[in-house]
Amino acid sequence: MSRKMLIDGDVGSGSEENNEYDFDLFVIGAGSGGVRASRFSAQYGAKVGICELPFHPISSEVVGGVGGTCVIRGCVPKKILVYGATFGPEIQDSREYGWKVNEKVDFDWKKLLHK
C-alpha cells in the first residue's frame, strides 16, 4: 500500500501505476467541518487524508488553504469588518460622555482589510 501527497497538482511520474491508498476517510476541504471530522475519526484510529487548496493569505477560487469558507471568506472576515465599523460612531458618542477626542479621526481602510 502506498500514500501519495499531491503538491500543487504534481502527481509525480507520468507512469500509470496501480496505486492503492489506505485511507479510511478522505475529506475534501479543510474547513471547520472537514478538520473536525478528520480529528474525530483519527481519534478512533481512522487513517485520514485531507484535500485542500494550496495556502495563500488572500483566498480565491484556486488558492485559499486551511480554514474553509467561514474562516477565510465568510463569518470571521465579516465579524472583523463589523467590529471595526462600530468604532466610528462610538468615538463620536464618547465625546458626549466626557472623552476628549481630537476633531479629526483618521481611518485606514487598507489596514482594516489586512487585519
Side-chain angles (χ1 to χ4, degrees):
M1 302 219 186
S2 67
R3 291 184 185 187
K4 186 183 278 188
M5 178 178 282
L6 305 180
I7 300 174
D8 294 331
D10 181 21
V11 293
S13 66
S15 66
E16 292 294 324
E17 298 176 21
N18 184 14
N19 292 317
E20 294 182 34
Y21 299 94
D22 58 350
F23 298 118
D24 297 312
L25 174 67
F26 189 78
V27 178
I28 299 173
S32 302
V35 169
R36 184 142 173 97
S38 299
R39 284 184 179 163
F40 264 85
S41 299
Q43 286 177 347
Y44 288 100
K47 295 175 187 173
V48 180
I50 300 176
C51 175
E52 185 54 86
L53 295 172
F55 179 77
H56 192 275
I58 308 290
S59 64
S60 72
E61 295 301 318
V62 294
V63 292
V66 176
T69 299
C70 187
V71 173
I72 298 173
R73 298 179 181 93
C75 308
V76 173
K78 177 202 71 177
K79 288 175 184 175
I80 291 172
L81 290 173
V82 168
Y83 182 69
T86 64
F87 285 107
E90 294 292 334
I91 291 170
Q92 293 295 83
D93 289 346
S94 69
R95 291 183 174 113
E96 300 298 320
Y97 291 93
W99 289 91
K100 293 183 181 178
V101 181
N102 294 334
E103 289 301 316
K104 185 175 184 204
V105 178
D106 291 329
F107 174 72
D108 186 342
W109 177 252
K110 286 183 181 180
K111 189 171 187 175
L112 176 60
L113 288 179
H114 180 73
K115 178 72 173 165

